[in-house]
Amino acid sequence: MEMKSLYLLIALAPLAGSAIAGLLGWAIGRVAAHLVTIGGVAVSAVGAVYVLNGLLNGAPTFDGPVYTWLTVGGIDYSVGFLIDNLTAMMMVVVTSVSLMVHIYTIGYMHEDPGYQRFFSYISLFTFSMLMLVMSNNFIQLFFGWEAVGLVSYLLIGFWFKRPTAIFANLKAFLVNRVGDFGFLLGIGMVLAYFGGSLQYADVFAAAPALAAKTVQIIPGVEWSLMTVTCILLFIGAMGKSAQFPLHVWLPDSMEGPTPISALIHAATMVTAGIFMVSRMSPLFELSDTALSFILVTGSITALFMGFLGIIQNDIKRVVAYSTLSQLGYMTVALGVSAYPVAIFHLMTHAFFKALLFLGAGSVIMGMHHEQDMRNMGGLRRYMPITWLTSLLGSLALIGTPFFAGFYSKDSIIEAVAMSHIPGSSFAYFAVIAGVFVTAFYSFRMYFLVFHGEERFRHVAHDAHGHDDHHGHGVHEPHESPWVVTLPLVLLAIPSVVIGYIAVEPMLVGDFFKGVIFINHEAHPVMKEFAHEFHSAAAMGMHAFTSLPFLLALGGVVTAWVFYLKAPQIPAAIKAKCGAINTLLENKYYLDDIYFAVFAKGSRGLGSLFWKVGDQFLIDGLIVNGSAKVVGAFSAVIRRLQTGFIYSYATAMIIGLLALMTIWFAGLIAR
């Protein structure tokens, strides 16, 4: 099989599975639906591993069109693939995590009437993400970009009879459209100024000559072309990768089933922005202003979204805010030109965050769809596999030495410490403080769920959890079936070891050579990092005396004291800091501001256009007004139509006299 055919197979196999399950699910049944979709994703995963292995062993990269579907004004709009180390790594991450989610879904959704539909959606989601990461041009990138947004709308609102789910998917859709509008404007700037091509290679080749070019967005005011283009492109990433202030959709996306929470938050949609900026590194390296904007945005997201994770009681929302914070860390790495570190953290985060989400789903199943951590406790005895894998995922998340998250997270902190770009001081404070915050909320969740008093025995569950489909009373917790625990075990392995294996080749080796461009003279962070790096083992050993480790340990110990040994302390702090708690519970009032300004403002503007524009101007003045004018004119004219010949003869004589008078007046005037 030639490589182009293999790439097509990798991309289209999930689409084929999605189409069969979606269109013929009613005919083939539940088992066949999950077999065909899992089979399609498995084919893609195996193919992705094969492609990555080939590239690591010297296979050439591929950059070429597959199908040209439109040519306008000499510009080709085509489907094309760029297969290099970055793409291949993303393909492996997307397909492997998606495969685990597919298997997990068999157990999690087995009672749901929309079983076949759900499998169709998640396979379509995988196809959309593959088209995004495999693209070699902006048009295909935008297609994949919008496709993941569309399918996320369908998945977040999967339980469409719930008002909360309807609200959540509409919110996600609208907020992402804000970011996507900026992204589309950025692509428009590329098309207008970068040589009239939308192929990555052509755009990147043209970029250095345009580094000093300016444009006038506002007449008389000069703006750097590169800065404007990069910031517009990054606004797209702010929406898709949920960066402040376009992050508000992501916590509400928890209204979807847990498997899709794992898929959206771990390996697909939210990482698209991080991937896009890394792919566009030849552009972003030409604008320090854009990099500083990215750095500050990521810093705010990393720190302040972590604070919100501290006060959450819904187990899925804790992990959701953790995702927001970790996306902030990745964005910070992009801002200091440490693109390989951002991608490295994207990869490690995909595994341990998918593990944590699926672990949370397993807990929800074991607790008979209870999601409030205050009603759990002591589950370690009843769910040993879920407990152990969740512990490993939490240790990876907080950056425990030798775990996957440690190598990527500490690399980000070191890169920020080495940077001198404007905003790096604030960024360093944010990522350092975020270490304590992450450790605290992660192990707050862990201790409340798996240790301490068995609080579920004292709670009568007459309400429904978010993922519930039926009523329930008090139940004994139980371990999940093997189709749920197997993905947990398989995801736990890379969550522990992948960082140790990949840190050296990805950050100081040649893995991204010729793929990611960094101006080492202007932004020497990665060069300094490589100089300081000795080995994965040495990095892990040195960490035990570092500030991040001490802060992480402090967060764990604080959570242990607060929620196992002295639970009265957090209650007292909450009572003393009521204003701060209220601020956090209201999520910094951003939702209220958006509703008051944009939602109500849009409705008010719509009402104005409706009442003034439509009812008064169009219907009132133009349509009804013109009809009334014609009617009034007709009423006057009607009185002149007498039906008598002498009346018409008189009118003709008067008209003739008037014409003759005008004619003679003209002659006299000459």
Side-chain angles (χ1 to χ4, degrees):
M1 180 186 293
E2 64 172 352
M3 295 308 294
K4 186 185 291 187
S5 300
L6 177 59
Y7 303 146
L8 281 169
L9 178 65
I10 293 170
L12 297 178
L15 178 63
S18 172
I20 295 170
L23 300 176
L24 301 175
W26 60 271
I28 63 177
R30 295 161 69 92
V31 174
H34 74 235
L35 286 176
V36 71
T37 50
I38 291 173
V41 175
V43 167
S44 292
V46 172
V49 171
Y50 176 81
V51 170
L52 178 60
N53 183 65
L55 289 169
L56 293 176
N57 287 293
T61 61
F62 177 86
D63 184 6
V66 175
Y67 174 70
T68 301
W69 59 274
L70 182 66
T71 300
V72 178
I75 301 172
D76 292 332
Y77 299 92
S78 60
V79 175
F81 294 148
L82 170 58
I83 309 298
D84 54 20
N85 285 6
L86 174 59
T87 303
M89 187 276 293
M90 289 293 298
M91 288 160 60
V92 171
V93 171
V94 169
T95 54
S96 57
V97 172
S98 178
L99 181 60
M100 295 300 102
V101 170
H102 275 71
I103 297 170
Y104 178 94
T105 300
I106 298 173
Y108 196 86
M109 300 292 289
H110 72 281
E111 295 179 356
D112 197 281
Y115 189 84
Q116 294 98 311
R117 177 166 58 93
F118 188 81
F119 271 100
S120 176
Y121 287 173
I122 58 177
S123 275
L124 185 60
F125 203 92
T126 307
F127 160 75
S128 303
M129 191 65 188
L130 286 172
M131 291 300 289
L132 189 156
V133 301
M134 295 171 70
S135 63
N136 74 339
N137 63 84
F138 283 90
I139 290 296
Q140 186 178 327
L141 174 70
F142 190 71
F143 165 77
W145 197 268
E146 293 301 306
V148 295
L150 171 63
V151 186
S152 71
Y153 172 83
L154 299 174
L155 284 164
I156 295 169
F158 182 78
W159 288 317
F160 52 84
K161 294 183 180 180
R162 295 183 190 171
T164 51
I166 297 169
F167 176 82
N169 71 350
L170 183 61
K171 186 177 181 180
F173 190 82
L174 292 176
V175 173
N176 272 279
R177 297 294 71 74
V178 175
D180 293 354
F181 180 67
F183 188 53
L184 190 59
L185 289 177
I187 294 174
M189 295 290 287
V190 169
L191 182 60
Y193 293 98
F194 286 72
S197 175
L198 290 172
Q199 301 292 318
Y200 292 163
D202 298 336
V203 173
F204 297 161
L210 300 171
K213 184 176 176 61
T214 59
V215 292
Q216 290 190 13
I217 307 294
I218 301 171
V221 181
E222 298 287 338
W223 299 71
S224 166
L225 169 66
M226 205 61 62
T227 297
V228 171
T229 303
C230 289
I231 288 178
L232 286 173
L233 291 173
F234 179 68
I235 288 172
M238 288 172 65
K240 203 67 71 185
S241 292
Q243 295 298 295
F244 178 89
L246 299 181
H247 67 278
V248 294
W249 67 271
L250 192 137
D252 291 280
S253 68
M254 295 299 98
E255 290 296 332
T258 300
I260 195 52
S261 300
L263 196 56
I264 288 178
H265 287 231
T268 52
M269 182 171 169
V270 295
T271 61
I274 309 300
F275 166 80
M276 183 272 292
V277 175
S278 299
R279 176 62 79 193
M280 304 300 154
S281 59
L283 304 183
F284 284 88
E285 282 297 282
L286 297 173
S287 174
D288 281 4
T289 304
L291 290 175
S292 288
F293 179 75
I294 293 170
L295 181 62
V296 173
T297 302
S299 304
I300 294 171
T301 307
L303 182 59
F304 289 94
M305 296 305 108
F307 288 149
L308 294 181
I310 294 173
I311 56 101
Q312 302 300 316
N313 294 311
D314 185 311
I315 186 172
K316 286 174 65 178
R317 286 185 177 264
V318 176
V319 188
Y321 280 106
S322 168
T323 299
L324 280 173
S325 181
Q326 296 307 305
L327 286 167
Y329 272 84
M330 299 176 207
T331 306
V332 165
L334 297 174
V336 297
S337 294
Y339 308 99
V341 182
I343 295 296
F344 183 41
H345 194 50
L346 183 158
M347 179 188 71
T348 61
H349 174 266
F351 293 111
F352 64 71
K353 187 53 57 71
L355 172 61
L356 287 171
F357 264 116
L358 298 185
S362 179
V363 169
I364 293 168
M365 291 178 65
M367 288 292 298
H368 303 272
H369 301 281
E370 174 64 72
Q371 293 185 209
D372 194 327
M373 298 186 299
R374 295 170 296 184
N375 297 332
M376 301 178 187
L379 297 188
R380 181 178 57 146
R381 291 177 50 206
Y382 305 95
M383 309 179 70
I385 300 175
T386 303
W387 159 69
L388 182 57
T389 53
S390 296
L391 175 60
L392 294 174
S394 299
L395 290 171
L397 170 61
I398 70 171
T400 306
F402 296 103
F403 282 71
F406 156 74
Y407 288 101
S408 55
K409 196 172 185 178
D410 271 40
S411 297
I412 293 173
I413 295 171
E414 290 186 30
V416 175
M418 296 171 182
S419 176
H420 301 289
I421 195 168
S424 57
S425 298
F426 170 66
Y428 183 72
F429 166 75
V431 295
I432 278 291
V435 172
F436 177 86
V437 174
T438 301
F440 180 76
Y441 68 64
S442 298
F443 274 81
R444 171 181 176 265
M445 177 182 70
Y446 171 76
F447 290 133
L448 284 175
V449 173
F450 295 107
H451 293 272
E453 181 187 2
E454 297 178 356
R455 294 178 297 276
F456 55 85
R457 298 194 180 279
H458 311 301
V459 181
H461 305 282
D462 55 354
H464 294 256
H466 293 292
D467 280 1
D468 198 6
H469 315 297
H470 48 267
H472 49 75
V474 177
H475 297 280
E476 193 84 0
H478 60 83
E479 185 62 276
S480 302
W482 72 267
V483 290
V484 170
T485 56
L486 177 63
L488 296 181
V489 173
L490 294 176
L491 286 168
I493 297 170
S495 298
V496 176
V497 303
I498 193 68
Y500 186 92
I501 296 170
V503 61
E504 188 166 352
M506 291 185 72
L507 301 192
V508 300
D510 294 333
F511 188 87
F512 291 119
K513 186 178 181 181
V515 177
I516 290 175
F517 171 76
I518 302 174
N519 183 353
H520 292 291
E521 292 184 4
H523 310 123
V525 166
M526 291 307 299
K527 212 168 183 177
E528 292 181 22
F529 181 89
H531 179 72
E532 296 291 332
F533 182 87
H534 299 292
S535 68
M539 184 176 177
M541 292 303 297
H542 177 264
F544 288 104
T545 58
S546 66
L547 179 60
F549 174 76
L550 296 175
L551 288 171
L553 182 62
V556 173
V557 172
T558 306
W560 177 74
V561 172
F562 279 19
Y563 297 99
L564 290 185
K565 295 301 176 182
Q568 70 276 11
I569 296 179
I573 294 174
K574 183 178 179 180
K576 293 281 187 182
C577 305
I580 296 175
N581 185 75
T582 302
L583 179 67
L584 295 177
E585 285 186 344
N586 287 279
K587 297 173 286 189
Y588 308 117
Y589 294 98
L590 282 174
D591 280 343
D592 300 283
I593 294 170
Y594 289 161
F595 291 143
V597 177
F598 296 106
K600 290 184 180 180
S602 299
R603 287 175 60 108
L605 194 63
S607 296
L608 178 67
F609 286 146
W610 165 44
K611 292 182 178 180
V612 176
D614 189 31
Q615 288 189 338
F616 178 72
L617 292 177
I618 298 174
D619 287 345
L621 293 182
I622 298 175
V623 177
N624 297 333
S626 61
K628 288 178 180 178
V629 169
V630 171
F633 182 74
S634 300
V636 174
I637 297 299
R638 192 181 302 117
R639 298 182 182 277
L640 301 177
Q641 303 294 331
T642 63
F644 297 111
I645 293 177
Y646 61 80
S647 299
Y648 301 134
T650 302
M652 292 173 65
I653 291 168
I654 293 171
L656 183 62
L657 289 172
L659 288 172
M660 290 178 67
T661 301
I662 293 169
W663 185 64
F664 278 116
L667 289 176
I668 294 169
R670 289 178 185 178

